[in-house]
Amino acid sequence: QQQVKQSPQSLIVQKGGIPIINCAYENTAFDYFPWYQQFPGKGPALLIAIRPDVSEKKEGRFTISFNKSAKQFSLHIMDSQPGDSATYFCAASTGNQFYFGTGTSLTVIP
Amino acid sequence: DSGVTQTPKHLITATGQRVTLRCSPRSGDLSVYWYQQSLDQGLQFLIQYYNGEERAKGNILERFSAQQFPDLHSELNLSSLELGDSALYFCASSVASGYEQYFGPGTRLTVT
């Protein structure tokens, strides 16, 4: 059973667009929700993370929106650039176990 | 560069064999996590160690085992290898449980 459901599987946007990646979870015990960026041949790199006591967090061009009641969270990438083309994973954690979404392959067209 | 190192980078072996993957966490990090990433299964959490003790188990097969040594480096042992074990294996480390994880570059295992 997939603990974290991520969509879409792939996404293509024009440079400057705002891609949005969504994740949903069921386990209310999750208390940490990070997003990772992975380039081909590399390990995932922590991008931004949020705890359930806030509804939004921004770091540079990356924003997490968190809806605790709906058990959903999403990643927005402002003014997307070709260099943002990568696979993005959401995750949820209880503090010990981490559960990752299935990933979204983002392509930003120049 | 995350500060997490993994060796070897690539490993090619035959079915039925046993291999050991090694991970050195970032300086100061006490927790080590192991993940398997395959095309059809995504990123699967295998096991976590904290300061030498097993802390959490995920989808780790009985043929796989891990340990964390007093110097905090960790090894993942994979035995009786099958073709389906071919994957990228990542190690990640964090200061403590529930904190940000930093991933190593991975070991690509190919079982032939």
Side-chain angles (χ1 to χ4, degrees):
Chain A
Q1 182 188 357
Q2 192 70 29
Q3 295 272 351
V4 180
K5 294 181 180 174
Q6 182 172 347
S7 63
Q9 192 173 3
S10 62
L11 196 50
I12 300 174
V13 300
Q14 296 277 352
K15 178 184 171 183
I18 305 175
I20 301 172
I21 305 170
N22 301 299
C23 286
Y25 64 97
E26 285 298 324
N27 188 348
T28 54
F30 290 141
D31 62 358
Y32 177 69
F33 302 88
W35 284 90
Y36 286 83
Q37 179 189 56
Q38 185 178 27
F39 293 104
K42 303 288 187 184
L46 180 64
L47 201 55
I48 185 172
I50 198 167
R51 300 267 183 190
D53 52 345
V54 298
S55 60
E56 187 177 274
K57 183 173 181 181
K58 289 183 183 180
E59 282 187 9
R61 295 183 294 108
F62 300 93
T63 299
I64 298 179
S65 296
F66 187 84
N67 186 330
K68 189 173 180 179
S69 60
K71 290 185 278 187
Q72 295 175 348
F73 58 110
S74 58
L75 177 70
H76 302 232
I77 305 176
M78 305 300 181
D79 187 28
S80 58
Q81 302 296 313
D84 297 329
S85 297
T87 300
Y88 292 81
F89 293 93
C90 62
S93 173
T94 58
N96 290 324
Q97 299 227 11
F98 274 70
Y99 298 92
F100 282 79
T102 49
T104 296
S105 177
L106 172 67
T107 302
V108 181
I109 300 170
Chain B
D1 184 1
S2 67
V4 178
T5 60
Q6 288 186 250
T7 56
K9 206 168 185 177
H10 300 279
L11 200 48
I12 301 175
T13 189
T15 54
Q17 295 297 306
R18 172 189 166 96
V19 297
T20 297
L21 312 184
R22 184 188 168 105
C23 166
S24 292
R26 294 188 319 157
S27 176
D29 284 359
L30 299 178
S31 271
V32 168
Y33 306 77
W34 285 98
Y35 293 88
Q36 180 191 59
Q37 185 176 40
S38 55
L39 282 174
D40 59 344
Q41 291 290 323
L43 202 60
Q44 298 287 322
F45 167 69
L46 295 177
I47 197 164
Q48 179 209 358
Y49 278 83
Y50 176 78
N51 203 20
E53 304 272 333
E54 182 185 302
R55 179 61 64 92
K57 251 183 177 177
N59 299 323
I60 189 165
L61 300 172
E62 284 191 16
R63 300 183 285 109
F64 296 0
S65 64
Q67 54 185 324
Q68 186 179 27
F69 295 86
D71 67 352
L72 300 177
H73 91 271
S74 178
E75 292 180 356
L76 179 67
N77 300 297
L78 314 176
S79 61
S80 302
L81 285 167
E82 301 174 0
L83 294 177
D85 297 328
S86 295
L88 270 167
Y89 290 84
F90 288 104
C91 164
S93 74
S94 68
V95 171
S97 291
Y99 280 76
E100 292 84 355
Q101 292 187 26
Y102 295 87
F103 281 74
T107 293
R108 181 173 292 282
L109 173 66
T110 302
V111 182
T112 62

